[in-house]
Amino acid sequence: MPTVSVKRELLFQALGRSYTDEEFNDLCFEFGLELDEVTSEKDIISKEKGEEKAKGASETVLYKIDVPANRYDLLCLEGLVRGLQVFKERINLPRYEKIILAQGKGQRLIITEQTVHIRPHAVAAVLRNIKFTKERYDSFIDLQEKLHQNICRKRALVAIGTHDLDTISGPFTFTAKAPSEIKFKPLNQSQEYTASQIMDLYRTDSHLRHYLHLIENKPLYPIIYDSNGVVLSMPPIINGDHTKISVNTRNVFIECTGTDLTKAKIVLDIIVTMFSEYCEKPFSVEAAEVVYPNGKTHIYPELAYRKEKVKPELINKKIGISETPPSLAKLLTRMCLKSHVTGNGNNLEVEIPPTRPDIIHACDIIEDAAIAYGYNNIQMTIPKTYTIANQLPVNKLTELLRLDLAAAGFTEALTFALCSQEDIADKLGMDISATKAVRIANPKTAEFQVARTTLLPGLLKTIAANRKMPLPLKLFEISDIVLKDPNTDVGARNYRHLCAVYYNKTPGFEIIHGLLDRVMQLLEVPPSKENGYSIKATEGSAFFPGRCAEIFAKGQSIGKLGVLHPDVITKFELTMPCSALEMNIEPFV
Amino acid sequence: FTEMPTDRFVESSFWNFDALFQPQQHPARDQHDTFFLQDPAEAPQLPPGYTAKVKKVHTQGGYGSQGYKSQWLLDEAQRNLLRTHTTAASARLLYQLAQQEKFSPVKAFSIDRVFRNESLDATHLAEFHQVEGVVADRGLTLGHLMGTLRQFFTKLGILGGQLRFKPAYNPYTEPSMEVFSYHEGLKKWVEVGNSGVFRP
């Protein structure tokens, strides 16, 4: 969930009234936001770097608000305020207007064919006669960063560039060139660099180095020029210093380039709708023309208003309320979805503004109606569905066995399903390739390299962590192990295993054997070679030679039992003899 | 409520994410949130007809939805992972239900292990358990969902008066709600669950 940090005073000023923290928390809860933290810059620095460094930092109260991941229009103060004001019916949703200048007068962005392989899409727009203050400027920059982190997927899908239009002149060209042919002064630098030098320059920059890989090894780098060869930006890395905007900038040229056109359009729409509030003609955006390599042109921003028809009964039915169509229309309008009743009063026409790209289905509209109604005002009912319930057979067997194993004096353990490679192979005297283990590609630590193929290491590690407990230690676990299986649709499956260990001054083979007999008795499997269970002496790498047996039941081998080999015991950092039993219980389900 | 089979720790991205309308570019599918598998790295079989339908809904929309209108790669869907939520098993269940000739209502539950690639700390483990419930029937409403949840939490000892619902977002449910309960000890509302009505 993205977090937006806003100054409390600014927020209340824009909302037109003050709230206590609790009142504001409730408002957020209703709307679907979460007031995560009330803090200040001083507090933040204090927590991260200590009291000393925090001296002199601002004490202005900051609200950290968690915003749903699909609401790009709430990622800045302007959007939050607008959303909340419309929700509280204090303002009407502004109408965003696209101003298309006469032929030849508007800005043009020409895309050349070289961009096709690296960053094919671009959209652009102009914010004319905008008035920035320090707060608005900061908010503008912040919004770009938030969008970059979220919908732009760290600039991989879309990168935003904003420029002072008065320092450049169109038409602008978006092309791609070899790194050695690109030279300009990057933002906040004092000299010109070639593109390759820029890569090196930012390799250690804590912020920008994460984006270098997006274009670094490609033959051509994307670059945007104006008609005089001034560089606007080299997306997605950095803008040019020449065009940087400041608090005094009056006209802003915005370009979004990327690999996903739909997202680029959404990003542009969000930026212009949010900040056109501060233009001389509020909520108006000057359109720009984008020219494609094949000569086709397109006007951006789209600022599309989409109309959808929804039946009021559907909304009522799905939520479980019964509101009249006019009152439903009012609820939706409060959520920035302007609606009115049409037809014979039995249909609703909903207008979806460009700030709500998250509305893609009637169910999204229904959710918004429910939010406006207030989730906690909905009457709670129980579905009349009549079904007969069942426990999954393997789980039922597991539950029954667990009770009886505990009754036999063994304590249940619950261990991790992920472990290190050594745990299931080397420490048990086996080679990893002999196990059919499932391997993890990106473990955070060595403890999560593979999924367990046996419950034994988990139990042995549990004993090692509990050495101070009085002996004997008798543990068991009935849980899943994972093995590769090419016959399944994913390539692996779980098996329900039962494992028990006995740890004491003497190995206690007879105790483990007794437990096996008891389990078989409970499972009603007689001790016979033909149709019951039997054990046969065998060798096992984890077991003491001559003290290991294989368990056969229902015509198949289902596990082993025996005294553990001293090497195994030492590798798990244990010091006493230990006997163990492990078997698959699925054949008995 | 009947227990669902959840015997797959290893799941394909298809069942864990794509069939649940989670976009392929979603941050939760990142390296640092999900355990992807090295071996077996890819799921050999995905249901062919269904896979095509899922692709269409992601890229062009369908069933009344506009879709995401972005790229959908089969390779990405085939990547194996350790499941991040038991909703993957619910998705399989709903698919089976859809294959039946005649629809019959279903109430199912599961309690099993899930895996998330997180650093361990006081409130986070890499493996933990989830309780999940699904009701499928005709004419279900958000009110029904809230009622069912209230009964569930009452049985756990969290009484009705201490329960509140908050709008939330999940890629696969709309409307979605987070369930909050008042914790006497901490004197604040804490999130105890997540829920929603599956998207058509």
Side-chain angles (χ1 to χ4, degrees):
Chain A
M1 276 185 108
T3 309
V4 184
S5 205
V6 292
K7 295 203 174 96
R8 185 175 64 182
E9 289 319 306
L10 283 182
L11 182 63
F12 289 166
Q13 214 174 58
L15 285 174
R17 62 158 277 196
S18 271
Y19 289 85
T20 61
D21 286 348
E22 210 181 289
E23 281 173 340
F24 193 71
N25 199 348
D26 283 344
L27 176 61
C28 287
F29 196 87
E30 243 186 280
F31 193 55
L33 306 170
E34 198 173 327
L35 182 58
D36 195 37
E37 215 187 329
V38 180
T39 179
S40 69
E41 213 180 277
K42 192 165 189 200
D43 280 343
I44 298 175
I45 302 181
S46 229
K47 273 186 216 160
E48 283 178 23
K49 302 192 187 146
E51 290 268 349
E52 268 303 310
K53 290 254 164 80
K55 282 206 172 82
S58 157
E59 290 199 357
T60 348
V61 177
L62 293 173
Y63 271 171
K64 280 191 186 285
I65 303 177
D66 270 348
V67 166
N70 64 339
R71 291 295 299 270
Y72 312 116
D73 61 318
L74 299 174
L75 287 175
C76 58
L77 175 81
E78 287 75 12
L80 278 171
V81 167
R82 224 172 283 169
L84 287 171
Q85 294 288 67
V86 174
F87 185 60
K88 281 289 178 205
E89 291 183 283
R90 272 191 224 110
I91 62 169
N92 284 329
L93 184 66
R95 193 135 194 107
Y96 304 104
E97 206 190 317
K98 190 164 59 181
I99 302 182
I100 305 177
L101 298 178
Q103 178 74 319
K105 289 256 166 72
Q107 297 299 331
R108 281 164 72 213
L109 177 66
I110 303 166
I111 308 180
T112 69
E113 57 191 11
Q114 284 88 357
T115 61
V116 157
H117 295 295
I118 180 141
R119 218 163 174 83
H121 302 290
V123 297
V126 173
L127 286 173
R128 194 52 81 181
N129 292 323
I130 191 169
K131 200 141 190 331
F132 280 119
T133 62
K134 173 133 198 337
E135 276 85 26
R136 295 176 188 179
Y137 176 80
D138 286 341
S139 189
F140 192 56
I141 304 291
D142 265 348
L143 176 62
Q144 289 176 53
E145 213 22 62
K146 286 264 164 355
L147 288 170
H148 273 153
Q149 290 303 316
N150 285 307
I151 183 176
C152 306
R153 290 292 261 134
K154 302 209 180 80
R155 302 195 192 180
L157 297 180
V158 182
I160 309 165
T162 52
H163 312 277
D164 190 335
L165 190 53
D166 298 327
T167 64
I168 42 179
S169 58
F172 306 102
T173 311
F174 174 43
T175 181
K177 282 192 169 169
S180 47
E181 294 176 28
I182 299 173
K183 193 162 185 212
F184 67 101
K185 185 156 72 150
L187 189 65
N188 294 329
Q189 295 293 332
S190 50
Q191 59 175 97
E192 287 198 344
Y193 292 94
T194 65
S196 337
Q197 288 171 328
I198 290 177
M199 289 290 142
D200 290 329
L201 182 67
Y202 289 117
R203 215 171 287 282
T204 48
D205 183 288
S206 58
H207 185 200
L208 293 176
R209 68 188 170 142
H210 303 289
Y211 309 123
L212 297 181
H213 72 97
L214 291 169
I215 58 170
E216 191 161 11
N217 295 319
K218 302 277 194 292
L220 303 176
Y221 289 4
I223 188 97
I224 306 181
Y225 291 106
D226 82 340
S227 58
N228 297 324
V230 175
V231 168
L232 271 70
S233 67
M234 186 172 76
I237 309 297
I238 188 104
N239 288 352
D241 191 68
H242 185 103
T243 61
K244 70 175 173 221
I245 56 169
S246 69
V247 175
N248 300 319
T249 304
R250 295 308 311 280
N251 299 299
V252 182
F253 179 68
I254 306 168
E255 37 87 2
C256 301
T257 56
T259 51
D260 184 324
L261 184 60
T262 313
K263 297 206 164 64
K265 291 197 268 192
I266 293 174
V267 167
L268 185 68
D269 279 355
I270 297 289
I271 300 180
V272 300
T273 50
M274 291 297 113
F275 285 91
S276 53
E277 186 180 347
Y278 303 132
C279 288
E280 202 168 64
K281 189 156 180 270
F283 306 116
S284 71
V285 185
E286 190 180 296
E289 193 183 22
V290 173
V291 183
Y292 290 100
N294 58 8
K296 282 212 170 71
T297 64
H298 199 115
I299 302 280
Y300 289 108
E302 286 205 337
L303 286 186
Y305 278 88
R306 208 174 80 228
K307 283 194 166 50
E308 293 280 348
K309 277 204 167 57
V310 185
K311 279 213 170 328
E313 302 99 60
L314 185 67
I315 302 182
N316 279 330
K317 219 174 71 139
K318 289 287 180 194
I319 303 175
I321 54 175
S322 46
E323 290 284 302
T324 63
S327 105
L328 285 175
K330 199 149 163 275
L331 289 177
L332 287 172
T333 308
R334 276 175 63 200
M335 296 301 292
C336 298
L337 299 173
K338 192 145 155 282
S339 313
H340 61 268
V341 184
T342 63
N344 296 329
N346 59 358
N347 217 337
L348 276 179
E349 193 178 80
V350 183
E351 192 182 60
I352 300 157
T355 48
R356 296 300 302 273
D358 59 299
I359 305 283
I360 56 179
H361 190 286
C363 63
D364 297 295
I365 297 176
I366 294 173
E367 181 187 58
D368 271 18
I371 296 177
Y373 185 83
Y375 275 10
N376 293 298
N377 296 331
I378 303 176
Q379 195 190 24
M380 299 192 226
T381 49
I382 300 285
K384 293 191 174 53
T385 316
Y386 185 73
T387 50
I388 300 185
N390 273 318
Q391 198 178 7
L392 207 59
V394 65
N395 284 341
K396 185 159 184 190
L397 178 63
T398 305
E399 297 296 310
L400 292 170
L401 283 175
R402 283 166 70 195
L403 283 172
D404 275 300
L405 282 178
F410 280 71
T411 306
E412 187 173 16
L414 181 68
T415 61
F416 283 133
L418 300 179
C419 54
S420 69
Q421 205 175 290
E422 291 81 41
D423 283 339
I424 55 166
D426 310 323
K427 288 192 193 171
L428 297 176
M430 284 203 291
D431 194 61
I432 189 69
S433 49
T435 64
K436 290 191 280 180
V438 168
R439 250 172 204 297
I440 315 287
N442 54 335
K444 273 218 164 74
T445 68
E447 280 303 304
F448 302 131
Q449 285 169 334
V450 292
R452 66 181 172 202
T453 53
T454 149
L455 296 173
L456 193 55
L459 288 180
L460 293 175
K461 287 202 278 196
T462 311
I463 298 184
N466 287 289
R467 264 170 302 194
K468 294 204 170 62
M469 300 296 283
L471 296 174
L473 284 174
K474 291 149 70 170
L475 299 181
F476 79 92
E477 182 169 11
I478 309 183
S479 192
D480 283 355
I481 62 143
V482 185
L483 287 178
K484 286 206 301 196
D485 183 349
N487 296 326
T488 60
D489 68 334
V490 288
R493 57 160 290 193
N494 292 5
Y495 290 89
R496 187 61 56 89
H497 271 209
L498 178 159
C499 184
V501 292
Y502 177 87
Y503 181 76
N504 200 3
K505 295 204 179 81
T506 58
F509 180 81
E510 66 282 3
I511 307 223
I512 282 291
H513 188 186
L515 190 68
L516 174 66
D517 285 346
R518 172 68 182 147
V519 169
M520 287 303 171
Q521 189 185 47
L522 290 167
L523 293 170
E524 295 185 2
V525 179
S528 105
K529 277 213 167 55
E530 288 82 40
N531 56 355
Y533 84 97
S534 63
I535 62 177
K536 206 171 97 162
T538 180
E539 294 293 307
S541 59
F543 293 96
F544 203 93
R547 293 278 182 282
C548 174
E550 199 166 346
I551 311 168
F552 290 90
K554 301 200 176 217
Q556 39 174 309
S557 163
I558 58 162
K560 287 204 172 97
L561 82 159
V563 178
L564 291 182
H565 197 289
D567 282 350
V568 172
I569 296 179
T570 341
K571 285 198 183 121
F572 279 99
E573 296 170 23
L574 301 174
T575 50
M576 303 279 182
C578 185
S579 57
L581 151 74
E582 179 158 7
M583 54 188 254
N584 182 357
I585 61 166
E586 290 194 7
F588 302 103
V589 168
Chain B
F1 278 76
T2 304
E3 194 166 10
M4 286 190 267
T6 52
D7 57 349
R8 284 179 180 76
F9 286 168
V10 174
E11 222 6 310
S12 60
S13 289
F14 181 74
W15 287 108
N16 199 66
F17 292 126
D18 293 290
L20 292 171
F21 203 50
Q22 193 145 2
Q24 292 196 330
Q25 299 94 7
H26 195 274
R29 293 172 85 145
D30 254 349
Q31 292 285 341
H32 31 257
D33 286 329
T34 309
F35 281 118
F36 284 104
L37 295 188
Q38 200 177 61
D39 181 21
E42 292 205 334
Q45 304 162 27
L46 294 177
Y50 187 48
T51 310
K53 282 192 195 166
V54 168
K55 176 176 179 169
K56 180 158 174 288
V57 177
H58 275 240
T59 52
Q60 300 164 29
Y63 305 99
S65 173
Q66 303 271 318
Y68 289 124
K69 297 209 165 48
S70 52
Q71 262 194 331
W72 193 87
L73 301 168
L74 186 61
D75 284 341
E76 186 61 38
Q78 280 181 316
R79 280 174 87 182
N80 272 344
L81 43 80
L82 290 177
R83 66 175 175 215
T84 58
H85 49 186
T86 42
T87 319
S90 300
R92 283 183 187 262
L93 177 86
L94 292 175
Y95 178 68
Q96 296 295 349
L97 194 61
Q99 304 306 306
Q100 276 179 318
E101 284 244 351
K102 193 163 173 295
F103 172 72
S104 52
V106 158
K107 282 173 20 197
F109 81 95
S110 67
I111 306 176
D112 208 345
R113 225 180 268 243
V114 295
F115 303 85
R116 299 220 177 144
N117 197 355
E118 312 231 19
S119 313
L120 271 57
D121 67 28
T123 52
H124 293 92
L125 279 181
E127 343 175 358
F128 54 101
H129 287 78
Q130 283 190 332
V131 178
E132 174 142 341
V134 179
V135 180
D137 197 5
R138 300 191 200 281
L140 290 177
T141 71
L142 195 60
H144 285 140
L145 176 60
M146 292 166 80
T148 311
L149 286 169
R150 182 171 67 171
Q151 288 305 318
F152 174 72
F153 283 107
T154 306
K155 299 270 183 212
L156 287 180
I158 299 174
L159 301 172
Q162 294 173 320
L163 219 57
R164 271 168 77 192
F165 295 90
K166 177 171 163 278
Y169 167 67
N170 290 320
Y172 41 93
T173 55
E174 189 90 6
S176 319
M177 304 188 296
E178 279 171 2
V179 191
F180 280 75
S181 167
Y182 191 71
H183 193 289
E184 291 294 338
L186 295 175
K187 288 262 179 291
K188 66 179 222 173
W189 291 87
V190 288
E191 185 181 340
V192 292
N194 196 334
S195 63
V197 179
F198 274 108
R199 294 185 75 101

